[in-house]
Amino acid sequence: MIEIKNRTLSALINPLGAELSSLLMGGREYIWQGDSSSWKGRSPQLFPVIGSCPEGGWRYGDRAIVLGNHGFARHSVFDKVAQEESSCTFRLRDSEDSLALYPFPFVLDIRYSLKGEGLEVSYRVENAGTEEMLFSLGAHPGFNCPLEEGLSFEDYYLEFSRPETISRRIKADFLTGETIPVLKDERRLPLDFDMFDNGAYIFSGLASDSVVLKSDKGGASVRMDFAGFPDFGVWTLQGARAPYLCLEPWFGVDSSEGDDPDFEKKEGLVSLEAEGVFECSYGLNLS
């Protein structure tokens, strides 16, 4: 584990997956610590795809692309390429193994930087090839919920920065094409475990650029700033009733049922020209 800290916060990052494994303020742990009975993850990185691979994979020219759920970055060991007391940067490059699954040379840098009571997570994707590169990229941090003793999951809600009129996209193994209205000119989404009986809440086109996980019965909260991310997931494992919630800003979404196997037609892919660079970031602010 690599530790970074400032006067207020400390964080641990695992080079396996460049995964944020702990985020502490005032002795309080904000990141879910994983549990084999529900979800072992903590904050996996989603690259180069979001969601599951169709049976038989995708086609790209004369190549097959067959990837596990959410891609291979979360199972890959990143190199630490820079570290200071309050920041560090991890790097993943294409390899013989990755190119056998996904035919694009790349460099993926993930930088963690503590600033006051906040953490910024920055991504830099470089197309290391001579042709167009196609990819998706997303974050999947899980937060303890409740954040304080004596409270329950149902005491919490999500508060978006702007009023939202939006529907959730329904997913079985893949997106079904169905939607269900969730908010109508509202900012607050109350939480309970039963709301996840049909899986994750997947939003495309939120007006907000931030959301707060909070409770009116306590003072601890997490604000996530995700300006620029077009898609957003909210998830806890169906039926597990485990005390965590994932907030997931994405560039890209799951495949839909009956999708064309042509990889170039997959929804939400970022197209990056040869030797081009793509950058994005999200932030966490704790209280």
Side-chain angles (χ1 to χ4, degrees):
M1 293 286 183
I2 305 300
E3 183 180 22
I4 57 175
K5 59 185 179 180
N6 63 12
R7 293 181 179 180
T8 308
L9 306 177
S10 65
L12 293 175
I13 300 95
N14 190 342
L16 177 60
E19 183 174 27
L20 177 65
S21 298
S22 174
L23 186 59
L24 288 165
M25 185 175 76
R28 175 176 286 117
E29 177 63 72
Y30 284 76
I31 296 296
W32 167 248
Q33 293 300 288
D35 186 334
S36 59
S37 67
S38 55
W39 181 55
K40 293 187 289 186
R42 298 188 184 187
S43 182
Q45 310 293 350
L46 314 186
F47 176 87
V49 293
I50 307 271
S52 302
C53 183
E55 185 176 356
W58 298 279
R59 300 297 305 179
Y60 183 75
D62 61 354
R63 297 287 304 275
I65 298 177
V66 182
L67 298 168
N69 189 46
H70 293 322
F72 51 72
R74 62 185 183 143
H75 302 301
S76 302
V77 176
F78 285 62
D79 294 322
K80 186 184 72 173
V81 294
Q83 183 176 5
E84 298 179 0
E85 183 178 28
S86 61
S87 66
C88 59
T89 302
F90 295 86
R91 176 170 294 166
L92 181 67
R93 293 180 177 272
D94 63 272
S95 65
E96 184 176 339
D97 288 341
S98 77
L99 290 170
L101 302 170
Y102 170 75
F104 301 102
F106 68 89
V107 179
L108 169 61
D109 286 351
I110 303 177
R111 183 175 188 268
Y112 292 91
S113 180
L114 297 173
K115 300 176 181 179
E117 297 178 346
L119 171 68
E120 182 178 68
V121 185
S122 303
Y123 298 86
R124 182 183 186 274
V125 181
E126 178 185 343
N127 181 350
T130 58
E131 299 178 354
E132 173 194 41
M133 174 186 174
L134 300 173
F135 67 94
S136 284
L137 177 67
H140 196 310
F143 301 99
N144 287 321
C145 184
L147 289 164
E148 299 174 65
E149 291 185 9
L151 299 183
S152 69
F153 187 90
E154 290 81 3
D155 289 325
Y156 284 77
Y157 57 91
L158 295 178
E159 185 172 80
F160 291 96
S161 58
R162 297 176 183 171
E164 298 287 352
T165 298
I166 198 160
S167 298
R168 62 180 291 199
R169 304 177 68 174
I170 301 302
K171 176 187 173 184
D173 291 331
F174 303 99
L175 293 172
T176 66
E178 301 169 290
T179 62
I180 297 177
V182 174
L183 297 174
K184 185 175 182 180
D185 197 30
E186 297 170 279
R187 294 176 59 194
R188 182 179 292 199
L189 177 62
L191 298 177
D192 64 72
F193 287 119
D194 292 341
M195 66 189 282
F196 295 98
D197 283 350
N198 292 319
Y201 276 57
I202 299 173
F203 298 116
S204 295
L206 285 168
S208 298
D209 56 16
S210 69
V211 66
V212 184
L213 172 63
K214 63 193 299 187
S215 170
D216 292 334
K217 298 179 180 180
S221 67
V222 179
R223 188 185 80 225
M224 174 180 278
D225 300 313
F226 55 90
F229 285 83
D231 305 291
F232 197 84
V234 180
W235 177 79
T236 190
L237 183 64
Q238 176 181 342
R241 309 187 80 83
Y244 70 89
L245 186 75
C246 294
L247 303 178
E248 308 177 33
W250 299 337
F251 280 89
V253 292
D254 295 81
S255 296
S256 295
E257 292 178 2
D259 264 359
D260 192 304
D262 183 348
F263 190 62
E264 293 181 273
K265 296 179 181 179
K266 187 179 188 305
E267 181 183 355
L269 291 175
V270 177
S271 173
L272 191 58
E273 63 187 7
E275 300 181 353
V277 171
F278 173 86
E279 295 180 310
C280 65
S281 65
Y282 74 91
L284 303 175
N285 191 273
L286 311 183
S287 65

